[in-house]
Amino acid sequence: CAVVQEAARLASPTRPDRIRLELDLPPGKLMVEGDDGQLQQALMNIVLNARDALAGSGTIRVQLLAGDDQASLLISDDGPGIDEATRARIFEPFFTTKQPGSGTGLGLAITYGIVRGHKGEISLQSEVGEGTTFALRFPLLAPRRAATPDADAGEGNLV
């Protein structure tokens, strides 16, 4: 099953009905080198943080775009946004804005490590009152390599 579609399926039972999850995926497959489970975990960590930020209602949008040499995964929400002080620390291990006992603060630090470990980049765009967008960018496999019979062995399949 495709990484993004599987992550969306796994996220569905964890979100209230008043939070919509929209997928915008291109036709065909985008192949990146990586581990499907880890890529799903990275996406799930961001989606679950977005769910928490929405406080019960809103929209989370997951969009996958293909460039010449990279796949971009954009995860956006229409929540309250993130202030500058929090943005500066958001990928630090154990940093959290949650109340004690409500989480470890490891999700986005792990996500950062997964993305960087897959030769990718992660960035964040957010302003208070304007929502938040995380952008994950991964190098695409060369078309000739993605077409080989062993293309699925050890390679992430974003769609």
Side-chain angles (χ1 to χ4, degrees):
C1 191
V3 170
V4 175
Q5 292 170 331
E6 179 66 7
R9 185 188 69 76
L10 292 171
S12 289
T14 68
R15 65 180 171 78
D17 290 339
R18 294 179 312 203
I19 295 179
R20 288 191 342 239
L21 180 61
E22 298 176 351
L23 297 179
D24 183 4
L25 306 176
K29 291 185 177 186
L30 299 179
M31 300 296 289
V32 301
E33 187 170 357
D35 178 82
D36 287 358
Q38 288 185 353
L39 293 170
Q40 283 175 3
Q41 181 181 5
L43 177 56
M44 286 291 296
N45 286 342
I46 295 172
V47 168
L48 293 176
N49 274 283
R51 176 206 62 194
D52 293 346
L54 290 174
S57 67
T59 301
I60 301 168
R61 184 167 192 239
V62 178
Q63 183 178 23
L64 187 60
L65 305 169
D68 291 335
D69 59 354
Q70 72 178 6
S72 297
L73 185 60
L74 307 176
I75 304 103
S76 303
D77 68 63
D78 58 2
I82 302 170
D83 63 54
E84 184 177 345
T86 302
R87 287 192 313 266
R89 300 186 60 201
I90 202 145
F91 297 116
E92 291 179 13
F94 303 106
F95 175 74
T96 185
T97 58
K98 296 178 182 176
Q99 297 297 320
S102 299
T104 63
L106 286 173
L108 293 176
I110 290 171
T111 297
Y112 180 87
I114 289 170
V115 172
R116 298 298 296 167
H118 285 81
K119 302 175 188 162
E121 298 175 1
I122 185 169
S123 62
L124 162 68
Q125 185 175 6
S126 185
E127 295 294 331
V128 173
E130 300 293 323
T132 300
T133 298
F134 283 86
L136 288 64
R137 294 178 185 84
F138 300 97
L140 285 170
L141 289 174
R144 70 186 188 313
R145 184 168 175 206
T148 63
D150 294 331
D152 290 333
E155 297 168 357
N157 169 11
L158 289 178
V159 264

